[in-house]
Amino acid sequence: MVFTLKSPALLSCALALGVGLASSAVSAKSSVVIGMQQEPTTLDPTADATASIDGIMTHNVFQSLTSVTEDGKVIPDLARSWTISDDGKTYVFSLAQGVKYHDGTTFDANDVKFAFDRAMGKDSVNPSKKIFKPIESVNVVDDHTVEIKLKKPDAFFLFNMAKGDASIVAPESAENNKTNPVGTGPFRFDGWTRGDRLTLAKNPDFAGADSVAIDKVVYRFISDPAAATAALLAEEIDAFPGFPAPEILPQFEADPRFTVTVGSTEGEVILAMNNAKPPFNDIRVRRAISHALNRDEIIDGAMYGRATPIGSFYPPHGSAYVDLTGVYPHDVEKSKALLKEAGVEGASMTLRVPPFPYATRSAEIIQAELAQVGLDVKVENVEWGFWIGEIYKKQNYDMTIIAHTSPNDMGNFARGKKYFYGFEEPEFTALWEKIRAEADPAKRDELLKQGQRYLTDQAVHGFLFQLPKLGVYNKDLMGFWQSSPVLFQSMADISWSK
Amino acid sequence: MNTRYLPANLVIGAILVVLTLGVALLSVFWTPYDYTQLDIVHKFQGPSAAHWLGTDQLGRDLLSQLMAGAGNSMAVAVTAVVLGGSIGTALGLLASAYGGWVEDIVMRLSDLSFAFPALLFAIMLAAAFGPSLPNVVVAIAFINVPIFARVARASANQIWTREYVFAARAAGLGKFAISRDHILPNIAAPIIVQATIEFALAILIEAALSYLGLGAQPPSPSWGRMLSEAQTLMYLAPQLAIYPGLSIVVAVLGFGLLGDGLRDVTDPRLSRER
């Protein structure tokens, strides 16, 4: 009788196997099926903070002025070259010529102005409005030249211009990009079956189309790690660049059909606390929680040791990293004492967790760790749409666990009380403005170190670990990045070795 | 009948049920360890004197989790079946006693809810009110109502034709009093048999819902959730799936056999054939 319980799983395994055999027979190795944990909420990277939108759309369907390589270097994209004035405030971009959108309209300098004005505008829903904040004006010099004036120098400007948030969209199609994205990239949007898959097809009009080896990219959305494993083993999917279950890696490592990579991402995993809400507006409570956390235990239990601990909000592979993991050592007594001092011993709180294994698994351990210091934590597992709506947009939460995968995102703490952190300290906001304006990398790193120390001192969140990039690939599939300095990687780089 | 041996399914079923219920009861007062206590340094341990069945992926004692899981599972099954069974039986008696449009309404409503897949209903409840064990209880109770209503009505209809019921009616007893004093005691046997079988199904549904993440929420232990968590660990530690799987088998098989055995013993048609 126990088989009635498990039969749906068995059935889907059987189906998966059948589909896998069928598709691998048809494909002449010019298509690739990529497994992905998180389904996009919409298809417009300039409209929503969901990371998978950038993961699929950015630099595949949409292009930006610049792009970024695996080691974080900024390279030309729609902007073929640029000059920067001596005061660092005027950028002149000369744009690619003869580029067409997928709907046949022509790309020119007016599109850049339109796209940026739209992103900066009053009604803009852009999730990273802050990256446009330093822009004073965007001026069309001629059809293929754009001049961007900044209010003050911005060290991250060219890097930020590569992001999906800065995608160049056309006035003719921008409104419909949420469901029918139209860009200039190497792939055009081909279809989206919600809850299942999204398909991109090669854009034959793309300037570099000859060097694009893949004709068709299928993204399959599989949130359950066990189902993802089954799909990979059945060769139903060829690649899983963000594989969610570290415990299964040894199995793939032992299987000659697969290549396994472990790299880093820009994702700082934090136990976010709603700083605007009692008791988390009390620094003693936040510090108590930081003392209650045992990072080694969390990394060992939730990530099977495959993650690097962080003590602040900056990636350990970055040039300005300072190790602050020892500032709040795991200390139950100290934590209890701080809670007592703040008058919240034995308080109850909820921990709303998005549906990602790194989060749900950490939650279970954190719940037990906070129980040791007398805090009664109720874990609520929520859907991603709910998380974006209630927690990210409406700040309706006590605590949550989330990976912040954007690069250079320490500025999150300068976004004011309305951002879901509910954190605002003029001292940090001023510091962040200084960091942005500092052109000298050595001096900027010094300021970034200050920033890390400040955030740790304030114990704004529980800083847990850097999200690793675990990749499982068919061994004949070439070109996937081991580490991700950004949220996107163009599928134009991918090819089959045979 | 008394001189004959009890049927094997009854005996085996009873043993398994006593074992499961015993463990469940014991878990309320005592488990070898606190099942929420993490000890990540000692995860995936094999059986030892300290941990009889070893430890799970977070170093929690497996035996303690299984015991507490039994407690949860039995609590859900008992509450849900008793709740659904009482309401269903009452409705069945009502339908049988009054007949006519009352019977039509009760029976058509129960047809309606029969047509509703149990798991789907539970998922709906979880979506509306959030996943939790009380919602699982409500869902299982709900699907049990029509089942018991039918059994109670069918059995009660037979009893209403008996002479002693006619006698009671002739003596002026009302329909409610007759249902309570004469019908109910005489349909107890099939109801109890049905309850035992529904028990087995309730355990399965609870496990399925918890497996899907709609039942017991962490850290509250549940066999179904243990199974789902063990799924990605099959390669590393298959025992994490085997133990809760076996526990579900034992409990479901136990109640299933006991139910069959009880029916064999109490059903007059079957006993005549022996």
Side-chain angles (χ1 to χ4, degrees), chain A residues 175-444:
Chain A
E175 278 318 299
N176 298 324
N177 278 346
K178 282 184 180 178
T179 48
N180 183 26
V182 174
T184 55
F187 294 92
R188 57 183 175 71
F189 171 67
D190 193 43
W192 180 18
T193 311
R194 280 183 200 245
D196 179 35
R197 65 186 64 208
L198 188 150
T199 314
L200 305 180
K202 184 174 167 177
N203 170 17
D205 301 328
F206 181 67
D210 291 346
S211 64
V212 177
I214 302 291
D215 288 337
K216 188 177 164 192
V217 188
V218 180
Y219 292 93
R220 293 276 322 272
F221 307 115
I222 306 177
S223 59
D224 175 33
T229 307
L232 275 165
L233 289 174
E235 295 181 33
E236 188 196 343
I237 51 182
D238 306 312
F240 215 115
F243 193 71
E247 71 275 22
I248 306 177
L249 291 186
Q251 187 177 357
F252 287 115
E253 280 163 346
D255 191 326
R257 292 178 296 160
F258 301 101
T259 311
V260 174
T261 63
V262 180
S264 59
T265 68
E266 294 293 317
E268 296 89 8
V269 179
I270 56 171
L271 171 70
M273 296 179 244
N274 190 347
N275 280 243
K277 187 177 172 184
F280 308 102
N281 54 357
D282 186 334
I283 189 168
R284 290 171 299 192
V285 175
R286 301 199 301 264
R287 283 181 173 158
I289 288 174
S290 298
H291 275 299
L293 298 174
N294 180 349
R295 280 190 204 91
D296 292 340
E297 193 174 72
I298 296 167
I299 291 171
D300 199 10
M303 303 305 292
Y304 292 80
R306 304 214 193 209
T308 314
I310 53 171
S312 187
F313 200 76
Y314 189 85
H317 55 262
S319 58
Y321 178 71
V322 269
D323 185 353
L324 297 169
T325 49
V327 175
Y328 301 104
H330 177 58
D331 187 336
V332 173
E333 290 316 312
K334 194 158 186 187
S335 176
K336 279 182 174 165
L338 280 165
L339 289 172
K340 191 173 177 186
E341 201 183 309
V344 290
E345 314 150 87
S348 303
M349 45 192 70
T350 57
L351 174 55
R352 291 187 142 171
V353 190
F356 311 124
Y358 73 79
T360 49
R361 293 174 181 188
S362 300
E364 204 168 343
I365 301 167
I366 288 171
Q367 180 182 42
E369 287 174 354
L370 294 183
Q372 282 180 2
V373 300
L375 292 176
D376 176 22
V377 177
K378 185 167 177 271
V379 174
E380 285 178 11
N381 292 309
V382 302
E383 295 300 322
W384 179 240
F386 182 92
W387 193 93
I388 283 280
E390 288 296 313
I391 294 159
Y392 187 78
K393 291 189 178 151
K394 290 190 197 152
Q395 238 175 310
N396 181 10
Y397 77 109
D398 292 344
M399 295 189 292
T400 185
I401 297 171
I402 192 71
H404 277 282
T405 46
S406 286
N408 303 324
D409 50 5
M410 201 191 274
N412 284 348
F413 294 87
R415 288 173 82 160
K417 281 237 184 289
K418 278 190 184 157
Y419 191 57
F420 81 102
Y421 295 175
F423 174 80
E424 185 163 24
E425 288 292 341
E427 194 182 335
F428 183 82
T429 312
L431 179 62
W432 179 247
E433 287 311 315
K434 260 164 84 185
I435 292 171
R436 289 193 70 139
E438 184 54 66
D440 178 1
K443 283 184 188 160
R444 187 165 70 230

Side-chain angles (χ1 to χ4, degrees), chain A residues 1-2 4-6 9 224-226 245 247-248 250-251 254 297-298 300-302 304 361 364-365 367-368 379 381, chain B residues 36 38 40 43-44 57-58 60 201 204 207-208 211 217-219 225 227 229 231-233 235-236 245 248-249 252:
Chain A
M1 259 179 133
V2 77
T4 18
L5 170 67
K6 292 173 98 177
D224 175 33
E247 71 275 22
I248 306 177
Q251 187 177 357
E297 193 174 72
I298 296 167
D300 199 10
Y304 292 80
R361 293 174 181 188
E364 204 168 343
I365 301 167
Q367 180 182 42
V379 174
N381 292 309
Chain B
T36 60
L38 306 188
I40 288 170
K43 63 182 175 185
F44 296 128
Q57 70 274 18
L58 297 178
R60 292 171 296 202
L201 291 174
L204 259 192
Y211 173 87
Q217 295 299 303
R225 207 161 51 76
L227 262 185
E229 284 175 3
Q231 224 181 346
T232 60
L233 300 165
Y235 181 79
L236 264 179
I248 297 172
V249 171
V252 172

Side-chain angles (χ1 to χ4, degrees), chain B residues 60-271:
Chain B
R60 292 171 296 202
D61 182 56
L62 261 182
L63 180 63
S64 306
Q65 284 206 75
L66 284 176
M67 288 175 65
N72 256 339
S73 193
M74 293 307 119
V76 167
V78 170
T79 328
V81 172
V82 167
L83 194 68
S86 316
I87 298 173
T89 307
L91 285 174
L93 286 173
L94 184 79
S96 178
Y98 292 93
W101 61 269
V102 176
E103 185 170 24
D104 281 345
I105 288 179
V106 169
M107 294 332 285
R108 291 303 83 76
L109 278 180
S110 84
D111 287 348
L112 196 74
S113 47
F114 249 124
F116 220 81
L119 269 181
L120 193 69
F121 179 72
I123 290 169
M124 211 174 73
L125 266 188
F129 302 106
S132 70
L133 275 186
N135 284 344
V136 172
V137 170
V138 172
I140 299 176
F142 178 83
I143 55 178
N144 269 300
V145 169
I147 297 171
F148 281 91
R150 285 188 173 192
V151 171
R153 171 179 160 273
S155 314
N157 279 353
Q158 291 179 8
I159 311 293
W160 276 102
T161 60
R162 298 282 165 87
E163 285 88 350
Y164 57 83
V165 174
F166 286 129
R169 293 179 76 172
L173 270 179
K175 285 186 172 175
F176 178 80
I178 295 176
S179 292
R180 185 191 57 206
D181 298 340
H182 298 289
I183 313 287
L184 188 58
N186 283 297
I187 65 167
I191 295 288
I192 288 168
V193 168
Q194 192 67 36
T196 319
I197 293 165
E198 291 308 323
F199 235 88
L201 291 174
I203 294 166
L204 259 192
I205 293 175
E206 188 276 324
L209 287 173
S210 296
Y211 173 87
L212 294 172
L214 303 173
Q217 295 299 303
S220 173
S222 149
W223 292 339
R225 207 161 51 76
M226 289 173 77
L227 262 185
S228 85
E229 284 175 3
Q231 224 181 346
T232 60
L233 300 165
M234 283 299 280
Y235 181 79
L236 264 179
Q239 73 274 16
L240 294 188
I242 292 171
Y243 291 134
L246 274 179
S247 305
I248 297 172
V249 171
V250 166
V252 172
L253 197 68
F255 279 103
L257 286 175
L258 181 67
D260 285 353
L262 282 175
R263 188 183 55 210
D264 292 354
V265 175
T266 56
D267 193 320
R269 275 167 305 182
L270 285 171
S271 59

